[in-house]
Amino acid sequence: MKDIIRKVLQETIKEKELDEKTRTLKNARKVTLYPKSAKKANPLRFRPELREDSVEYVNNLSPEQLTYVKKYIEKNGKIDWNNLKFAGIDWYKNNRQINKLLSKNIGSREDILKKIDERILNKIHTIDDCGTYEFNFIVNNYDLEKDVDGVYYINDVDCIIDQNGSVILSNISDERVTFEKLHNDSDNKYEDILWELGYEIQDCINDKLSELLTNDMGVTVEDIDIRPGKKELFK
């Protein structure tokens, strides 16, 4: 009798654990190498202007610092945070106001759109300095938006990924695994890590696009969606 009760309890616990795993995976969206952006699920984390303390991060440069930054941008056309920190300017506290100044230096919204298009749209971009990832991607489309503080950002960035891209999964082996193999994971060998790899790919793209847009245009990067692309697009 005790053995029967124990077996029933074990099966009940196992069912609950499976249900919890299912809910967790569902909440993390479909287990795939190409997840939708996580930023939409947590706007307070990725959109500082929505926080109650956002006023502390906007228009907080002293008159002297503001004059210094304007002259710096006028002379260099971009900013270097390593140089600005010597003037007591901190990225965490001052980046939003400085991004506004950079965008204003470019001109109108149309001027900013034109410059973004020239720099990132429908071009093959290469990632080769982001951990062990090596891949190409194309920005197929994006939206340019402005938040309540007047800071421009690109949103709903539609990125096509080259399936010949690869990554070294150091916790599994030292060999490179292509995105195509990860995506067509018929044996579910990589199921437990696909979502993590997908978000890491998004982070690599975010870093690349930020390098191209933020330090001289003041345009930040938010939602990035990734999807597999046809090989002929990357020839």
Side-chain angles (χ1 to χ4, degrees):
M1 186 65 177
K2 289 182 179 180
D3 291 339
I4 295 176
I5 294 174
R6 185 182 298 110
K7 185 176 181 180
V8 170
L9 287 173
Q10 288 174 343
E11 290 178 352
T12 301
I13 292 171
K14 185 176 181 180
E15 288 177 1
K16 287 184 177 180
E17 288 176 346
L18 288 173
D19 288 344
E20 181 60 31
K21 181 178 180 181
T22 301
R23 284 196 299 273
T24 300
L25 294 178
K26 184 178 180 181
N27 291 339
R29 301 184 178 89
K30 184 181 177 181
V31 182
T32 170
L33 183 62
Y34 301 98
K36 293 295 183 180
S37 173
K39 295 181 179 181
K40 293 172 181 170
N42 192 356
L44 294 183
R45 176 183 173 191
F46 294 97
R47 294 288 300 280
E49 76 278 1
L50 298 179
R51 300 197 308 258
E52 293 180 359
D53 60 352
S54 65
V55 67
E56 298 179 10
Y57 299 90
V58 184
N59 301 327
N60 52 8
L61 290 171
S62 70
E64 294 79 13
Q65 289 175 329
L66 183 58
T67 299
Y68 175 84
V69 171
K70 286 181 176 179
K71 289 182 178 180
Y72 191 96
I73 293 174
E74 183 179 350
K75 178 181 178 181
N76 300 284
K78 61 181 180 180
I79 53 95
D80 183 332
W81 285 101
N82 289 324
N83 290 332
L84 294 186
K85 69 181 181 181
F86 293 112
I89 298 171
D90 177 71
W91 180 90
Y92 185 70
K93 292 182 179 179
N94 306 124
N95 77 89
R96 292 176 61 72
Q97 185 176 4
I98 291 178
N99 284 341
K100 289 171 63 177
L101 293 172
L102 288 165
S103 296
K104 186 176 181 180
N105 187 58
I106 299 298
S108 66
R109 184 179 187 277
E110 288 69 29
D111 294 328
I112 295 172
L113 271 171
K114 182 179 179 180
K115 198 157 187 173
I116 296 174
D117 284 353
E118 291 173 349
R119 199 166 288 185
I120 71 169
L121 195 62
N122 296 320
K123 299 178 184 297
I124 296 178
H125 302 279
T126 298
I127 300 290
D128 56 11
D129 59 351
C130 186
T132 62
Y133 287 93
E134 292 182 1
F135 65 94
N136 294 323
F137 72 94
I138 296 172
V139 177
N140 183 61
N141 201 3
Y142 68 90
D143 292 330
L144 178 64
E145 302 180 27
K146 185 190 286 188
D147 64 32
V148 295
D149 294 324
V151 178
Y152 281 105
Y153 62 96
I154 56 171
N155 196 31
D156 294 327
V157 185
D158 177 28
C159 291
I160 302 170
I161 310 298
D162 184 1
Q163 291 298 280
N164 287 323
S166 63
V167 62
I168 296 176
L169 305 174
S170 56
N171 58 330
I172 297 178
S173 74
D174 293 329
E175 296 182 2
R176 287 200 162 273
V177 183
T178 65
F179 292 170
E180 183 174 35
K181 183 175 181 179
L182 290 169
H183 185 52
N184 300 321
D185 183 25
S186 58
D187 297 329
N188 297 322
K189 180 179 178 180
Y190 306 104
E191 181 180 18
D192 291 340
I193 59 172
L194 279 184
W195 65 272
E196 182 179 357
L197 298 178
Y199 289 137
E200 287 179 350
I201 292 172
Q202 289 174 327
D203 287 342
C204 290
I205 294 174
N206 188 304
D207 290 344
K208 182 69 173 183
L209 295 181
S210 295
E211 289 177 9
L212 295 170
L213 300 178
T214 305
N215 283 354
D216 67 341
M217 298 175 64
V219 177
T220 60
V221 182
E222 284 208 14
D223 272 334
I224 294 175
D225 290 328
I226 57 177
R227 55 191 174 92
K230 296 180 179 179
K231 293 182 180 180
E232 54 263 31
L233 292 174
F234 296 91
K235 291 182 178 179

